[in-house]
């Protein structure tokens, strides 16, 4: 089975340092005021990279059974579906924005 | 584990309905991943609320997030990433039969988790003092937007639910420390450590998204 991958301490520190650097970058890019839609794109892109690093190397999905990877991927897919279908409603309402 | 120890292999943990330790470990881990799927969708609902309201009131998010202190948000991000590292180190210690290292790493993780909650407490109480409360209790007039309370309701729901998860994580890790002290864990059986680790990393991942979405809008 693939379930007992043992990462070296050096490797785990490397992963954490990569995450610290990405955290610094995501704060630093707000200092140079990227124009409107792109600042959100950059922030989300960095967060996605960080989440992938955590799930692959801290949560060991990189070495894990493909079924667990599939579970994770499907949860993200259904989350995106939830966003997509909700926005199809809320972005195209002819009524004004509700009071709440 | 494939390498059977020369002394007798400890199998107290093995339930009779599993073929071997590995099968039991894999089954537990898969069960945890199924739970994490429900967690992602649980928080997903709140992220959808965030996205819908941001699409309706983009200018509100820009104004209201000024009230959040980027510095402390960044510190908390670093604290959680550090705690993810120590949890990964705790799992590594358990895999290598270093029970002392496991306990030390768990304590550091608990300490970092408490640091996170203390910072969150100061952030919340500073806002409460100003009258920034969720929903209809909102009474702050520093944000010039009629829907200002909506941003902070979403903020409190997302960070509050995340904070509850941190508290549960602290509880789980204290439980792990007690189990480890009773010599329950060894390189052949550390499933609860592995599974709590997975949970803790997910809590970290959720904060990785909350931080830029709430604090870094300007």
């Amino acid at each position: 089975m693939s379930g007992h991958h043992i990462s070296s301490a050096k490797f785990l520190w490397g992963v954490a340092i990569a995450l610290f650097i990405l955290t610094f970058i995501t704060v630093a890019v707000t200092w140079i005021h990227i124009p409107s839609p792109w600042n959100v794109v950059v922030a989300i892109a960095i967060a996605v990279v960080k989440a992938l690093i955590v799930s692959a190397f801290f949560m060991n999905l990189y070495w894990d059974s493909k079924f667990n990877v599939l579970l994770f991927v499907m949860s993200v897919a259904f989350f995106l579906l939830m966003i997509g279908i909700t926005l199809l409603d809320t972005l195209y309402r002819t009524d004004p924005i509700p009071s709440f | 584990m494939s390498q059977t120890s020369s002394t007798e292999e400890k199998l107290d943990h093995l339930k009779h309905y599993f073929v071997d330790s590995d099968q039991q470990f894999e089954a537990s881990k898969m069960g945890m991943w199924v739970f994490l799927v429900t967690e992602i969708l649980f928080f997903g609902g709140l992220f959808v609320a965030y996205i819908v309201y941001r699409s309706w009131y983009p200018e509100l998010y820009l104004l209201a997030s000024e009230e959040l202190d980027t510095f402390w948000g960044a510190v908390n991000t670093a604290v959680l990433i550090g705690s993810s590292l120590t949890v990964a180190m705790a799992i590594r210690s358990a895999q290598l039969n270093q029970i002392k290292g496991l306990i030390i790493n768990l304590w550091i993780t608990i300490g970092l988790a408490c640091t996170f909650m203390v910072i969150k407490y100061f952030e919340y109480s500073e806002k409460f003092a100003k009258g920034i409360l969720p929903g209809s209790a909102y009474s702050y007039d520093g944000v010039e937007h009629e829907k200002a309370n909506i941003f902070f309701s979403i903020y409190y729901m997302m960070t509050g639910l995340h904070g509850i998860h941190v508290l549960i994580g602290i509880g789980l890790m204290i439980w792990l420390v007690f189990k480890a002290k009773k010599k329950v864990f060894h390189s052949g059986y550390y499933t609860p450590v592995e599974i709590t680790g997975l949970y803790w990393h997910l809590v970290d991942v959720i904060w990785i998204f909350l931080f830029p979405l709430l604090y870094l809008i300007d």
Side-chain angles (χ1 to χ4, degrees):
Chain A
M1 294 300 280
S2 51
H4 293 281
H5 174 85
I6 304 180
S7 300
S8 73
K10 211 185 222 174
F11 178 78
L12 293 176
W13 270 100
V15 172
I17 288 166
L19 291 170
F20 286 132
I21 292 171
L22 285 168
T23 304
F24 177 75
I25 291 174
T26 197
V27 176
V29 289
T30 62
W31 299 335
I32 51 166
H33 294 286
I34 301 168
S36 185
W38 296 106
N39 55 358
V40 183
V41 173
V42 169
I44 297 293
I46 295 173
V48 166
V49 170
K50 286 167 76 181
L52 287 178
I53 291 174
V54 172
S55 50
F57 303 122
F58 275 167
M59 299 169 97
N60 284 346
L61 274 186
Y62 187 77
W63 301 278
D64 208 346
S65 91
K66 293 285 169 288
F67 188 78
N68 291 344
V69 179
L70 181 72
L71 285 174
F72 182 58
V73 170
M74 289 304 274
S75 76
V76 175
F78 275 90
F79 171 52
L80 294 176
L81 197 64
M82 174 156 63
I83 296 173
I85 289 177
T86 311
L87 285 179
L88 282 179
D89 169 8
T90 60
L91 283 182
Y92 299 101
R93 285 184 186 181
T94 45
D95 289 344
I97 294 165
S99 57
F100 42 89
Chain B
M1 296 291 281
S2 46
Q3 68 267 43
T4 314
S5 52
S6 50
T7 56
E8 63 186 292
E9 202 179 354
K10 284 191 246 173
L11 287 172
D12 301 342
H13 59 277
L14 187 60
K15 298 279 187 278
H16 66 88
Y17 40 83
F18 287 110
V19 174
D20 56 22
S21 249
D22 260 350
Q23 194 199 29
Q24 180 170 316
F25 178 79
E26 291 296 326
S28 300
K29 199 163 64 174
M30 192 197 86
M32 192 61 192
W33 271 106
V34 172
F35 172 68
L36 294 187
V37 168
T38 70
E39 287 278 275
I40 290 168
L41 294 172
F42 181 29
F43 276 95
L46 288 171
F47 279 99
V48 168
Y50 173 97
I51 292 165
V52 166
Y53 277 98
R54 189 158 178 184
S55 73
W56 278 342
Y57 306 111
E59 70 293 346
L60 161 66
Y61 281 63
L62 298 183
L63 281 173
S65 82
E66 305 262 301
E67 293 297 324
L68 304 182
D69 194 331
T70 305
F71 175 76
W72 288 113
V75 169
N76 258 351
T77 309
V79 166
L80 273 197
I81 290 171
S83 73
S84 259
L85 170 66
T86 55
V87 147
M89 291 294 224
I91 293 168
R92 180 184 144 76
S93 301
Q95 287 170 326
L96 297 174
N97 243 336
Q98 298 162 351
I99 301 309
K100 210 176 159 193
L102 165 65
I103 293 171
I104 291 170
N105 276 306
L106 284 173
W107 276 125
I108 299 173
T109 311
I110 292 165
L112 288 169
C114 291
T115 310
F116 179 91
M117 289 312 290
V118 168
I119 293 173
K120 210 84 213 106
Y121 167 79
F122 283 114
E123 281 190 283
Y124 273 15
S125 49
E126 182 246 337
K127 284 180 193 63
F128 289 165
K130 281 190 194 165
I132 301 177
L133 291 155
S136 56
Y138 185 86
S139 63
Y140 179 59
D141 47 12
V143 181
E144 307 220 345
H145 196 288
E146 54 167 339
K147 302 285 187 200
N149 67 329
I150 283 179
F151 175 85
F152 290 105
S153 296
I154 290 171
Y155 165 82
Y156 281 122
M157 278 303 292
M158 294 183 100
T159 58
L161 188 64
H162 179 268
I164 289 170
H165 279 78
V166 174
L167 289 177
I168 293 170
I170 293 172
L172 287 172
M173 281 181 286
I174 291 172
W175 169 69
L176 287 181
V177 168
F178 278 106
K179 290 264 254 182
K181 282 190 174 162
K182 282 193 202 154
K183 306 255 185 295
V184 175
F185 303 128
H186 50 86
S187 60
Y189 175 70
Y190 59 92
T191 312
V193 187
E194 169 85 19
I195 278 171
T196 308
L198 286 178
Y199 169 86
W200 192 254
H201 293 311
L202 187 86
V203 171
D204 184 23
V205 166
I206 286 162
W207 183 261
I208 282 172
F209 283 95
L210 288 182
F211 171 55
L213 287 177
L214 293 170
Y215 290 78
L216 291 180
I217 335 169
D218 58 326

